[in-house]
Amino acid sequence: MSSIEQEVAGYYDKLLQRNAGEPEFHQAVAEVLDSLKIVLGKDPHYADYGLIERLCEPERQIIFRVPWMDDNNQIRVNRGFRVQFNSALGPYKGGLRFHPSVNLGIIKFLGFEQIFKNSLTGLPIGGGKGGSDFDPKGRSEGEIMRFCQSFMTELWRHIGEYRDVPAGDIGVGGREIGFLFGQYRRLANQHESGVLTGKGLTWGGSLVRTEATGYGCVYFTEEMMKAKGESLDGANVIVSGSGNVAIYAIQKAQELGATVVGFSDSSGWVNTPNGVDVELLHDIKEVRRARVSDYAKEAEGATYHEDGSIWDLKADVALPCATQNELHGEHAKTLVSNGVKYVAEGANMPSTAEAIEVFRENKVSFGPGKAANAGGVATSALEMQQNASRDSWTFDYTDGRLHQIMSGIFNVTASTAEEYDRAGDYVVGANIAGFKKVADAMLAQGVV
Ligand code: NDP
C-alpha cells in the first residue's frame, strides 16, 4: 500500500468507527475517497488542515420528534432529520425524503453526495438533506397535511433563504411542499419564497422544476452518447421507477426519439415494447396515485411482471431512477450482456459498487448520480434566483439554462477525468471536480 493509500484507509477506518450502522453513508464516502486518492497523489495539500475529516463530518445534524394525529384520532410519532452537511459554497440545499426506510445514515449519505453534486452545478449552494421515516403511502390528504405541519413546526427555526433551503425527494412532491410552505409562512409570519423550492407556480415556483431531474438526466445521457458519436434517436431505453424523476426522464427520452421499453415501482415492473404513453402514466401516478400494474391494465401492448427484474430487458441505455442500491452486480452483468452501452443515474446511488465495477470493466459509459441527476437541484437554484429578483422566467428560457448547466457538468466531469489520466471515467471526474471546488473554498475559509 502506498503512503497515500494508507492515509486514505486511515480516514475511512475512523469514519467506520464513528458512524457505526450507517452502511449507505459508508458506501457513499468510500466511493469519493477512492477518487480522492488520485487527487492527493498529485495535490497533497488537499489533506492539509484536517480537510478530509472535516468534509466527512456534517456541520450540523438535527433530529426531532414529529407527533401527529391520524384519521382515527390516534397519535403517531415519527422521527424527523435535517443534516446540514457543508455550507462552504452557499446555503445548505437538498431535498426532504419521506419514506419508512429513512434513518440518519440514509440522510447522511444523501447529504454527503449533495455537497459534490451542488458544487458540480457551478451555482453557489452548499449540501444538506432531510426527511422522515413517515410513510405517505395509503395516508389521506388530511393525514399528510397534519404530518407536514408538525414536521415544519420544528424544522422552520433551522431553515431560511440564506441558511438552508429544502426541496422534495422520494415521497415529497408538489403537494407536500405546499403543506410545508404554508406552515412555514404561518410560523415565520412572512412570505419568504426562497425558503423552499419546488413550489407551485403561482406562489414562487419555477417552470421546469418538476421536469428538471428527469430532463437533466437525459441531457447528460445525450452528452455521453455524443462523445461516442451516437444519439438517443432510435435507441431503446429502460427507466426504473415511476415517480417524479422517472416520468420526466421517460418523457424527454421519447421526445428525443428513443423508445422506453420498461419502467417500475417497488411492487413490480412493466414491459412497454412500443414505448410509454406518458400522459396515461402521469395520470395514474400523479393524479390517481395508483400503481404501475394499473398502467399495464390500460395500455395496449404493456405487460406487468413481479418476477425477474426490469434489468433483464434488452436495451441500449439504462436510467435507474428509483432508489439507492436497486441495481446490483448481477443486474449490471445482465445489462452488459444484453447490449447496454450507457447508464445514467437519475436516482441517488442506485448502482452498487459491484455494479459500477462491472460497467467500468465493460467500458459502459456510466454517469453517476451526483452528475447525471444534478438538474433538479440546479433548477431549484434557478428558482431561488427568480425568488430573489421577484421574477419568473419562461419555460424555454429555464429549460435552456438547465440544458446549459447539464452540458457544463458533463464537460467538467469529462475534462477532469482526462486531466487525472482516467479519460471516460465519469465517476472519478465528477468526484474530483465536485471535491476541488468545495475543498478550495474550505481551505480559503480556514478551520471552521
Ligand atoms: P418519487 O417518490 O416521486 O418516486 C420514487 C419511485 O421509485 C416510485 O416509483 C417508487 O415506487 C420507486 N421505488 C422506490 N423504491 C423502489 C424499489 N426498491 N424498487 C423499485 N422502485 C422503487 O421520488 P423521486 O422520483 O423524486 O426520486 C427518485 C430518486 O431520484 C431518489 O433516489 C431521489 O433521491 C433521486 N433524486 C430526486 C430528485 C428530485 O428532484 N425529485 C433530484 C435528484 C435525485 P413506489 O411508489 O412503489 O414506492
Side-chain angles (χ1 to χ4, degrees), residues 97 99 110 117 129 137 168-172 209 213 241-246 264-267 285 291 321-324 326 346-348 373 376:
R97 174 177 292 191
H99 193 271
L110 290 164
K117 180 188 309 193
K129 198 82 187 189
K137 251 188 227 137
D169 190 78
I170 291 180
V172 180
R209 176 59 190 92
T213 311
S242 50
N244 171 265
V245 179
S264 61
D265 61 20
S266 57
S267 312
K285 293 296 295 186
R291 311 292 298 157
C321 294
T323 195
Q324 65 272 359
E326 55 163 316
N348 285 311
N373 72 35

Side-chain angles (χ1 to χ4, degrees), residues 247-261:
I247 290 175
Y248 294 100
I250 293 171
Q251 189 200 73
K252 183 53 76 178
Q254 295 200 151
E255 213 176 285
L256 294 174
T259 303
V260 174
V261 294

Side-chain angles (χ1 to χ4, degrees), residues 201 204-212 215 219 379 382-383 385-387 389-404:
L201 294 177
S206 172
L207 286 163
V208 190
R209 176 59 190 92
T210 306
E211 296 85 353
Y215 279 20
Y219 294 151
T379 309
L382 300 182
E383 183 174 330
Q385 287 184 23
Q386 292 169 76
N387 295 154
S389 57
R390 297 179 189 277
D391 198 359
S392 40
W393 304 342
T394 63
F395 190 97
D396 286 349
Y397 176 75
T398 317
D399 188 35
R401 292 280 304 265
L402 167 65
H403 208 147
Q404 220 173 28

Side-chain angles (χ1 to χ4, degrees), residues 64-71 74-81 96-100 102 130-137 139-156 170-173 175-181 183-184 187:
F64 51 99
R65 178 172 69 203
V66 190
W68 57 282
M69 197 183 279
D70 71 15
D71 286 344
Q74 286 240 347
I75 301 299
R76 305 266 174 179
V77 179
N78 285 98
R79 189 169 291 170
F81 301 90
L96 297 171
R97 174 177 292 191
F98 292 168
H99 193 271
V102 164
S132 173
D133 57 358
F134 171 70
D135 187 358
K137 251 188 227 137
R139 290 288 168 200
S140 70
E141 192 147 290
E143 290 177 319
I144 288 179
M145 182 177 72
R146 289 194 293 281
F147 174 80
C148 288
Q149 289 175 340
S150 180
F151 184 86
M152 186 52 86
T153 300
E154 174 58 34
L155 187 69
W156 82 282
I170 291 180
V172 180
R175 174 179 62 174
E176 291 75 20
I177 291 290
F179 295 149
L180 291 163
F181 184 76
Q183 184 72 352
Y184 179 86
L187 290 163

Side-chain angles (χ1 to χ4, degrees), residues 29 33 47-49 52 57 61 65 80 87 100 196 198 243 249 293 305 343-344 378 422 424:
V29 174
L33 288 183
D48 292 350
Y49 296 105
I52 311 282
E57 181 72 20
Q61 307 180 53
R65 178 172 69 203
S87 59
L196 286 172
S293 51
H305 308 263
V343 177
R422 297 287 286 267

